[in-house]
Structure formats: structure tokens, C-alpha cells
Amino acid sequence: MSDLIEEAEGGNAPEFSVTELSGAVKRMIEGEFSHIRVRGELGRISRPASGHIYLTLKDDRSNLDAVIWKGTAARLSHRPEEGMEVVASGRMTTFAGQSKYQLVIEDMRPAGAGALMAMLEQRRIKLAAEGLFDAARKQELPFLPEVIGVVTSPSGAVIRDILHRLRDRFPRQVLIWPVAVQGEKCAQEVTAGIRGFNALTAGGHIPRPDLIIVARGGGSLEDLWGFNEEIVVRAAAESRIPLISAVGHETDTTLIDFAADYRAPTPTAAAERAVPVRMDILTWVQDCGARLSRGAQAVVTQRRVRLADLSRALPRPASLLETAQQRLDRVADRLEPALVQSVQTRSHHVQTVGARLVPALDRALAQKRLPYERACANLRPSVLSRAIADAQQKLNALERMRQSLGYTATLKRGYAVLRNETGLITTTAALRTASEVEVELADGKAQIKPLP
């Protein structure tokens, strides 16, 4: 600040405005600390809706406020978490509104493998407490999947090894979801791959996989860190499609291994677990067919021997017929006398019944004739004449009643009945609208013109 603070005459310091002083301090700090690296522990992390990250770097004696702008936060290889020991690179600046200085972080990495391992263990304990690694959540892998989805880099040796191993063992349809297998985009793309395969509809235009393999070759802890991210682990645990994790070499362990339904030591081992050996199945089927054929043949042979044993215990067919023939001969000898005797017995019975039938018929006829004789006695002429006279009187009375109740008697008293083509006319309106009018009087019917 020697260029700004000049001694005035008499040794008095010049006056500055607050803004001038704040600007001078800002230029000094940004000029002296334009690029620095700071090691410390993360504390008090804040993530507002703007996407920026505000945090504190601290050690056992001091705190340093820091900010990670939204664009930089999206490029970080590790998500900042409270308690993580990191090495942050950036520049110092001031915030004149509150007379504060802060570090603008442009890159941040864990402070060595020990810090990463500690953070990894903390995350593992946290996710295990939520039940994401429970054995009860594991799904059975299909014996022979029709479609296998592979989430991996499309250009690496891993996918070639998997396809080659599948082709050797049992060729299947393979869908590849290309992702970055390390770096800042790894976690997001792997998560999108797992959830994308699960979102496919069974029977749709793009077939839905029966099995998912998440694969990557070996690498350092930092290279494999994307498969330790919480979003990847949660996506693997939520997958409704059985999932095999094949990340790294046999000695490498990532958190997705705990959430997957099966952990393969290598990508090649994942392909071997995904499908059986086709020749082994063919050999097994042929062996089963041979065993079935031998078993069926043994059963037939056993039944044939048993049948032969039973046939020896049966009598000769001729001996069975001889007894029946002898019995038939004896019956035939007795048949003719039996028939003659039966005919004689039936004839005698018919004669006996006939002798009793004639008197019975005479008695029945006499009983039936008696009611008719009594009825004929009641049909004398005098009785019949009285009945006819009584009926005639009743008929005459009914005719007189009919004449008195009928409308013809009314017509004789001077009344008339009017009809049109639809029926009786009872109103003048109907009479005026009728096209033809028929009048019935006491002595007959006549046609008249309707009223105007």
C-alpha cells in the first residue's frame, strides 16, 4: 500500500473512503494470493438453490471461508462432505460487503488415499445402516437371460472381453449403455444407465434386459471413485432387474459391489456368471435323454418278464373252452323237453283263462248297460216336452231383455247413430271434419253430406 499511502506534510496520514480502502485491500490480497493450495478439513457446508457451495476449511487453530461456484462444483471429481480432509486449489479474494476474505476454490481433491478410505468407510456405514446392503434385498440371477444390458465404456477392452466370453459360452442379445467409467461424469452416467435399463418396457421396441452388468477394468482408488458415489449405490439397490457388479480387479472393492445382487471379481467372471456353457447344457440334455431311454427300456424289460411270469400261471385256453362246451352240451340235451313242457303249460293256462273270461265279460257288460237303461227311462216324450218348453221360455225372456237394452230400441224412439270412416261421431267438430257420414235410423242406414 506504499503507493497509496503517502505521508502528508507534518507527518499526518491522508484520509481514504471505505470503498477506496476495501478496493486497495482486495487488490493486495488477490495480487499476493492469486493461486494457492490449502490443506484442511471441510466443515459447515451449505448448498443453496443457486448451485454454489459455501464451506469452511479448518485446522486445529483457524478457519477459512471458501466458495465453490456452480460451474466448478459440477466438475469436481469428489462431492464435498463435512469432515473430509482435502487439498483445495484456488485464489484468495475479499468480500467488501462484510469485510471478509475467502478462498475461491477452483479444484479440490481428498488429501491422500487415507482420507478417501476414511470417507469411503463412513459412507459404507451410512448406507449399510439404511439397509441397502442387506442380503434380503438380493435378487436371484436368471439361469439363462434372453437380453443382457451392459453399462460400461463402449471403447474399452472390458466390453470386448464380455462379448467374447458370452459368445464362447452361450450367445445372447446384448444391449450396451455407453458411459464414462471414471472422472466427473462417471457417477451420473452410470446411474442413468442403470435407471434407463429399468425404465424400458417389457415387450417394447427396445427389449428390456433380464440382467444388468456394470463393468469396468482395474484402476486406482481415485479412478474407481465414481462407483463409490451414493447415487450409483442407490440406483443399484433400487434396480428391479438383477444386477452384477464387475468393477476393477479381484482385489478392488467399491460400494456398488455391496448393493449389487452379485459381485464378480472381473468383467470376464461376470459374463461367466451371467450365462451357462451351452455345450455343458447340451451334454446334460443328452445325458438326461440317454438316462431316460435306458430307464424306459429297463421298465419295458421288467414288465415283459413280469408278464411272462403271470402268463405261466394262467390255465390253457383249450381247457377253459372244454368246460364251457361240456356245460353247453348238457343244456342242449335238456332244452327240447323243457320247451315242449313249457308250451303245454302255457296252452293249459290259456284254456283255463278263456273258460273264466266269457262269464266275466258278460257280468261287465251287464254292469255297463244298467246306467244307459236308467237314462233311457228318463227320455220319455212328456218329460222331453216339458224341458223344451222351459228352455223356450228362458230364451224368450233373454230376447226381450236384449231388445230393451240394445240401441235399436232407442232408434225406434227417434234417435240416430252417426259414423265416419274412423268410427262413431259424438261431436260437431268431428262431424264438420268428416269426409263421409253414415246415418243409422230405425229402418236402415243412409249416406249424408257432412256439415259445412
Side-chain angles (χ1 to χ4, degrees):
M1 293 180 58
S2 58
D3 58 336
L4 296 177
I5 304 176
E6 298 177 356
E7 292 187 7
E9 294 181 2
N12 294 327
E15 293 181 356
F16 295 92
S17 67
V18 175
T19 301
E20 290 175 343
L21 184 59
S22 296
V25 173
K26 181 180 180 68
R27 288 191 297 272
M28 177 182 291
I29 291 179
E30 289 181 351
E32 293 293 330
F33 303 100
S34 60
H35 180 76
I36 60 172
R37 298 176 71 237
V38 182
R39 179 169 182 154
E41 179 182 333
L42 296 182
R44 198 173 52 81
I45 299 176
S46 174
R47 293 182 175 88
S50 62
H52 308 314
I53 302 176
Y54 298 95
L55 51 86
T56 301
L57 282 171
K58 61 182 182 179
D59 55 19
D60 56 346
R61 290 182 294 177
S62 303
N63 292 336
L64 174 63
D65 290 339
V67 60
I68 306 175
W69 302 126
K70 179 180 179 180
T72 304
R75 297 194 303 268
L76 292 179
S77 59
H78 297 84
R79 179 183 175 87
E81 296 183 13
E82 190 170 346
M84 181 190 302
E85 186 176 2
V86 299
V87 175
S89 301
R91 55 187 175 82
M92 292 296 299
T93 186
T94 63
F95 183 51
Q98 296 183 356
S99 298
K100 287 186 175 182
Y101 62 89
Q102 60 185 6
L103 174 66
V104 178
I105 297 177
E106 298 172 350
D107 185 33
M108 184 173 65
R109 299 180 180 278
L116 282 179
M117 292 302 296
M119 184 176 62
L120 182 64
E121 181 62 17
Q122 292 177 0
R123 186 176 295 172
R124 187 192 67 79
I125 294 174
K126 171 191 171 184
L127 297 176
E130 295 182 20
L132 299 185
F133 305 153
D134 291 349
R137 298 174 59 95
K138 308 295 184 183
Q139 304 177 80
E140 290 291 335
L141 302 185
F143 175 71
L144 185 59
E146 290 291 331
V147 180
I148 300 175
V150 181
V151 180
T152 189
S153 171
S155 59
V158 169
I159 187 61
R160 293 195 297 271
D161 293 343
I162 292 176
L163 294 177
H164 178 73
R165 199 58 176 158
L166 291 175
R167 187 166 52 249
D168 288 346
R169 292 174 65 86
F170 207 123
R172 297 283 84 187
Q173 183 177 2
V174 177
L175 298 179
I176 301 174
W177 193 294
V179 298
V181 293
Q182 71 181 61
E184 59 189 27
K185 296 181 180 179
C186 173
Q188 295 291 342
E189 293 185 0
V190 171
T191 300
I194 296 173
R195 291 177 175 166
F197 276 139
N198 277 270
L200 293 176
T201 304
H205 179 67
I206 300 177
R208 188 172 189 263
D210 303 309
L211 178 69
I212 297 176
I213 298 176
V214 179
R216 187 207 187 279
S220 64
L221 179 62
E222 290 80 3
D223 293 338
L224 303 179
W225 191 258
F227 298 92
N228 292 317
E229 293 292 350
E230 187 172 333
I231 56 173
V232 175
V233 177
R234 293 190 182 278
E238 295 166 1
S239 176
R240 298 185 302 275
I241 302 174
L243 186 143
I244 297 177
S245 170
V247 178
H249 296 307
E250 187 169 359
T251 57
D252 297 324
T253 302
T254 57
L255 294 183
I256 193 176
D257 296 335
F258 298 101
D261 298 302
Y262 180 82
R263 188 253 177 182
T266 62
T268 302
E272 293 176 353
R273 181 61 183 85
V275 295
V277 179
R278 185 171 181 270
M279 291 306 300
D280 290 347
I281 295 179
L282 290 176
T283 302
W284 176 77
V285 171
Q286 292 172 357
D287 181 61
C288 290
R291 289 164 55 193
L292 180 62
S293 177
R294 290 194 299 271
Q297 185 175 2
V299 170
V300 172
T301 302
Q302 183 181 7
R303 296 298 175 86
R304 184 181 291 113
V305 173
R306 179 61 176 164
L307 182 60
D309 294 340
L310 294 175
S311 65
R312 285 194 293 270
L314 294 174
R316 294 181 300 104
S319 63
L320 296 176
L321 293 177
E322 288 172 356
T323 303
Q325 288 175 349
Q326 185 177 7
R327 187 163 52 252
L328 180 60
D329 292 339
R330 292 180 179 179
V331 171
D333 293 340
R334 298 197 302 269
L335 180 60
E336 184 176 355
L339 289 175
V340 173
Q341 183 180 0
S342 176
V343 170
Q344 292 176 351
T345 302
R346 296 290 179 180
S347 177
H348 177 71
H349 178 69
V350 169
Q351 293 174 0
T352 302
V353 172
R356 297 198 302 268
L357 183 60
V358 175
L361 290 175
D362 292 340
R363 289 194 299 271
L365 184 59
Q367 291 177 356
K368 296 293 184 180
R369 186 184 293 114
L370 182 60
Y372 291 102
E373 291 177 350
R374 291 175 181 174
C376 289
N378 293 330
L379 294 177
R380 294 190 299 272
S382 58
V383 176
L384 185 60
S385 298
R386 286 196 300 273
I388 293 174
D390 293 340
Q392 185 65 44
Q393 290 178 358
K394 292 180 180 180
L395 182 60
N396 292 335
L398 291 174
E399 177 62 21
R400 289 192 297 273
M401 182 179 295
R402 187 187 70 80
Q403 292 292 339
S404 63
L405 295 177
Y407 75 94
T408 55
T410 305
L411 295 177
K412 292 178 181 179
R413 295 198 296 272
Y415 292 93
V417 177
L418 301 180
R419 295 185 179 89
N420 60 9
E421 60 274 7
T422 61
L424 291 175
I425 298 176
T426 58
T427 62
T428 57
L431 180 61
R432 289 190 181 93
T433 58
S435 60
E436 294 183 359
V437 179
E438 180 186 74
V439 180
E440 182 179 0
L441 301 173
D443 59 348
K445 299 178 180 179
Q447 298 290 332
I448 64 172
K449 294 182 179 180
L451 293 177

